[in-house]
Amino acid sequence: MDSLGKAVPAPGRIYVTGGVSAVLMGWREMTVDIDIKADPEPAGLFQALPELKEKLDINLELACPSDFIPPLPGWESRSLFVQRCGKIDFYHYDFYSQALSKLERFHSRDQFDIAHMLADALIEKPRLSSLFTAILPDLIRFPAIDIPTFTQRVADFTG
C-alpha cells in the first residue's frame, strides 16, 4: 500500500479483497496474490502496476467479488477504511460481498475466512441471506455459477 501510494500521483480508492483482507485482519500470515479494485481509478495506476509487481516480486491481480458474483447493493458504504497512503485511500472490499463470493467458490481457505468474518462480527447471517436474495435474480448473468448449489451453500451457512 505504501509503495502504491508513493507511485500513484492522483487521488483515488483502492479496495483490497481476499487474501489481502485476511492478512490485514490477522487471519493469515501471508497470501499468494494481491487482489484489488480501483474505484475511482486514480490516474497513473496502470502505469505504476508493472513496475511495482517487478520491484516487489508480487502477484497483483485486478479482481474483486463483483467479477464473480453480482455486485451487492450498498457494497461501497460497507467497505471498511484501512488507511491512506499518499493520495490513495485503501479499503477492505465489502465483507458481505467477500463472504458470498467465497461461499460460491467454497475452497477450504475460503471457509476459514468466512468463519473469521462471522467471528469478528464483520458479517451477520440474516443480512448475508438478505443480500444474497437481492442478487439472486442477477445470478443468471454469471453462467459459471451453479445457482442451486450456491443457493444451498448460502442457506446452509445462514440457516
Side-chain angles (χ1 to χ4, degrees):
M1 288 187 285
D2 288 335
S3 295
L4 193 56
K6 288 175 185 171
V8 177
R13 281 188 175 193
I14 302 288
Y15 296 90
V16 298
T17 188
V20 176
S21 285
V23 168
L24 291 173
M25 297 301 293
W27 308 331
R28 294 192 226 154
E29 289 188 27
M30 59 183 289
T31 183
V32 296
D33 57 11
I34 296 172
D35 296 327
I36 63 170
K37 174 184 178 67
D39 187 16
E41 178 187 307
L45 174 67
F46 288 103
Q47 291 80 359
L49 292 181
E51 182 179 328
L52 285 175
K53 286 177 72 166
E54 182 70 28
K55 177 182 170 186
L56 300 175
D57 192 26
I58 57 173
N59 182 19
L60 183 63
E61 301 289 334
L62 298 173
C64 70
S66 63
D67 293 332
F68 307 103
I69 63 170
L72 301 185
W75 71 267
E76 297 98 332
S77 64
R78 287 188 306 274
S79 296
L80 300 180
F81 180 75
V82 177
Q83 69 182 30
R84 174 174 271 198
C85 296
K87 295 182 178 180
I88 306 295
D89 290 328
F90 289 88
Y91 289 80
H92 289 284
Y93 196 97
D94 171 41
F95 282 105
Y96 285 96
S97 298
Q98 290 193 52
L100 285 174
S101 68
K102 288 174 178 291
L103 281 169
E104 194 281 320
R105 192 170 55 189
F106 215 55
H107 296 146
S108 59
R109 183 178 59 235
D110 295 327
Q111 294 173 53
F112 175 84
D113 291 347
I114 297 165
H116 278 282
M117 290 177 200
L118 190 61
D120 290 354
L122 296 168
I123 60 171
E124 297 174 347
K125 289 182 178 185
R127 182 75 189 266
L128 189 68
S129 179
S130 172
L131 288 166
F132 176 74
T133 300
I135 64 164
L136 192 54
D138 294 326
L139 289 177
I140 198 163
R141 296 178 181 273
F142 292 76
I145 295 176
D146 180 326
I147 296 172
T149 300
F150 187 20
T151 301
Q152 189 61 53
R153 284 182 191 149
V154 173
D156 290 346
F157 180 76
T158 61

